[in-house]
Amino acid sequence: MNLFCIPYAGSSSSIYANWKKNLSPSINLYPIELAGRGKKIHEEYYEDFQEAVSKISDEIFVKSSNEPYAIFGHSMGGLLTYEVAKHIFKNYKSKPVFVFISGINPPKFYQAQKISALSDQEFLSYINGLGGIPKKIMSHPELINFFLPILKSDFLLLENYSQESNSRINCRIITFAGMDDNLSSHIEEWKSYTDKDFKSYEFKGGHFFINQHHPQIINIINKFLKVD
């Protein structure tokens, strides 16, 4: 079983680096790298949300090698996960066994915050309020200057995101949410976006609850992706 993990806005594939030690040996972990960071640092940022969906879909389809696979995504990565699942089925007649969506409301309830055009200080203040910027980055201006264009590019993608309302995917959806996260206050509404089974899990914490609870999240993923 292959598990493809899509990062949240402003992050890279490295956020999933410590997942492998908790995953079942039967699960192959494939963190997806987004353009403009990590191993793809020399690639231009995506021009729009659909370009990101298309390129990620192509990569997953090739790497899945006709083997069963699942996709996980948190926040922006959750919306990408949903759109990628639709895109792959439409274009390749392939579909994941499971879709794991974390920390984001479904499209019908998603409202992007128009913040990409804010001043750098206002923008950082908003992001920091979500708890998404580690203290070691906030205390180093050179790191802030490196990550700021990535963050603003990702939030611009989200501001331009739109989709056909309530479009279903033909695979099971499992969701994760933080109890104090406004961005996932309607997380259980994802059940209307699948023709298959749906289950939702809630954890203590805000938007970045996955940083504290990833061992529990991985245990749940192991249970669903168990290969006999």
Side-chain angles (χ1 to χ4, degrees):
M1 175 70 72
N2 297 319
L3 174 63
F4 297 94
C5 294
I6 303 177
Y8 48 80
S11 67
S12 71
S13 62
S14 64
I15 63 171
Y16 298 112
N18 62 348
W19 278 38
K20 191 170 184 178
K21 64 182 179 182
N22 295 111
L23 276 174
S24 167
S26 65
I27 301 173
N28 301 311
L29 179 65
Y30 289 100
I32 296 295
E33 194 68 88
L34 303 180
R37 67 213 79 185
K39 294 176 290 186
K40 297 180 180 178
I41 193 169
H42 297 299
E43 293 186 13
E44 295 291 332
Y45 300 136
Y46 304 116
E47 291 186 3
D48 55 45
F49 202 90
Q50 191 52 46
E51 181 191 9
V53 169
S54 179
K55 288 189 174 181
I56 294 169
S57 298
D58 291 347
E59 183 176 350
I60 289 178
F61 178 72
V62 170
K63 288 184 176 179
S64 64
S65 302
N66 294 319
E67 296 177 356
Y69 67 95
I71 311 174
F72 174 95
H74 179 74
S75 196
M76 180 183 79
L79 290 178
L80 283 168
T81 293
Y82 164 67
E83 292 293 344
V84 164
K86 289 198 305 179
H87 187 90
I88 289 180
F89 184 74
K90 179 180 178 181
N91 291 276
Y92 299 117
K93 303 307 177 193
S94 171
K95 63 180 180 180
V97 179
F98 282 94
V99 160
F100 299 97
I101 295 175
S102 173
I104 198 70
N105 286 326
K108 182 179 178 181
F109 296 92
Y110 177 71
Q111 291 185 333
Q113 299 295 315
K114 306 291 185 180
I115 66 169
S116 66
L118 293 176
S119 69
D120 290 351
Q121 193 59 44
E122 290 173 323
F123 180 85
L124 287 171
S125 178
Y126 174 84
I127 300 300
N128 200 36
L130 294 175
I133 305 180
K135 290 182 179 179
K136 65 179 180 180
I137 292 179
M138 287 298 293
S139 60
H140 289 80
E142 66 276 12
L143 289 176
I144 292 176
N145 291 335
F146 175 80
F147 284 105
L148 192 57
I150 296 173
L151 278 164
K152 285 200 169 186
S153 174
D154 286 350
F155 272 84
L156 184 59
L157 289 184
L158 288 168
E159 289 168 19
N160 295 326
Y161 169 67
S162 63
Q163 68 95 51
E164 180 185 346
S165 179
N166 207 34
S167 182
R168 291 172 177 260
I169 53 177
N170 191 27
C171 61
R172 287 169 281 185
I173 294 180
I174 311 298
T175 64
F176 305 100
M179 293 179 181
D180 302 318
D181 180 18
N182 291 332
L183 296 181
S184 55
S185 56
H186 297 284
I187 195 83
E188 293 204 4
E189 295 301 324
W190 277 108
K191 64 179 177 290
S192 65
Y193 285 75
T194 178
D195 295 320
K196 302 292 185 179
D197 296 335
F198 170 85
K199 195 167 182 61
S200 185
Y201 296 86
E202 194 173 49
F203 299 87
K204 291 182 179 179
H207 188 58
F208 289 96
F209 66 92
I210 64 167
N211 294 334
Q212 291 76 41
H213 299 289
H214 71 268
Q216 297 97 309
I217 292 170
I218 294 171
N219 285 338
I220 293 169
I221 291 174
N222 284 336
K223 180 181 71 172
F224 283 107
L225 299 188
K226 182 179 178 181
V227 178
D228 297 323

